[in-house]
Amino acid sequence: MMQTDSYVIPAGGKWSVMIQRGKQITFTALGDGANVSLLLYNASNTAERYNMPDTLKAQHTSHLTAGHVLMSDNGRVMASITEDSLGWHDPLSGYVTRKTVDERFGKTSYQKKRNDWYRSGDENFKVELFRQGMTVRDLVPVVNLFSKVFCNEDGELHFVPGHSKKGDVITLRTEMDVILMVSNTPNPLDSSSSYPSVPIELLVTDAAPVAEDDPCVNHCPENRRAFENTWNDEKLTKGGIV
């Protein structure tokens, strides 16, 4: 990729791209009430992808913020969260389906609304998976950036309205070559009766090298082990062993 790339994902929009290791991806909300669903796959082996249960279990958390990492199902770090103005992002709710969109916001179609029809995360991700040589079987739980969802003592999930404001940012640093997929569609627990229309800006730049005192590496022992798994695999690959 170029040293600096900027993209705007409109409401309902989708995007996927390969991003090299050592980049930082800054997501900026261009309005209040943003939500963007995100997936990561290993660019050289898409069978390795973001794993929600391992990410949360290893870091002893039910939400994501700066200092946390997104782990793969191979126990490696795919990306680190290096900057966050919100302090809480939702890894629990999943992506919104066509049925939920129709029930909550009303049925629309491309034939009648053209590009203003209401998309779902389910459909957006399926399209991008096929573009990247995968199938619907590769669709896994997502991270919902800019949304806050918490679980009460009865095990019920609750969406917090108004959590994200215009100008809020979160930055990911890629720790391996990844395929990034995003869907700018509503959080499935958002009770709003109006389809959200908040564009998201993505800025991809070079990241500084990971230092020994890096907050993401040192967040917990499990993080360091996941980084070591990532670094060791990279050494083996460069050395020609695999």
Side-chain angles (χ1 to χ4, degrees), residues 40-158:
L40 292 173
Y41 298 82
N42 182 336
S44 61
N45 176 17
T46 56
E48 181 179 12
R49 65 281 307 270
Y50 164 70
N51 185 282
M52 180 266 281
D54 288 353
T55 294
L56 301 185
K57 177 178 64 178
Q59 297 175 101
H60 315 288
T61 186
S62 62
H63 69 276
L64 297 171
T65 186
H68 289 144
V69 300
L70 304 183
M71 294 185 185
S72 77
D73 43 11
N74 286 0
R76 304 199 299 152
V77 181
M78 306 194 77
S80 304
I81 303 177
T82 58
E83 179 186 10
D84 177 22
S85 66
L86 278 165
W88 192 302
H89 300 264
D90 163 40
L92 300 175
S93 301
Y95 46 83
V96 70
T97 64
R98 166 52 48 198
K99 179 180 179 181
T100 298
V101 169
D102 288 348
E103 290 176 349
R104 188 162 300 159
F105 307 110
K107 290 186 178 182
T108 60
S109 67
Y110 177 78
Q111 287 75 14
K112 292 183 177 181
K113 290 283 190 176
R114 297 305 187 202
N115 289 332
D116 291 330
W117 75 290
Y118 299 157
R119 280 96 161 174
S120 72
D122 180 45
E123 293 161 320
N124 279 354
F125 282 126
K126 287 176 180 177
V127 170
E128 295 305 316
L129 283 167
F130 277 103
R131 285 178 175 171
Q132 297 295 338
M134 291 178 272
T135 73
V136 295
R137 296 180 65 181
D138 296 293
L139 188 51
V140 295
V142 303
V143 176
N144 285 306
L145 303 181
F146 301 106
S147 287
K148 181 175 182 178
V149 172
F150 68 91
C151 183
N152 65 16
E153 294 181 355
D154 295 324
E156 298 171 328
L157 293 176
H158 292 271

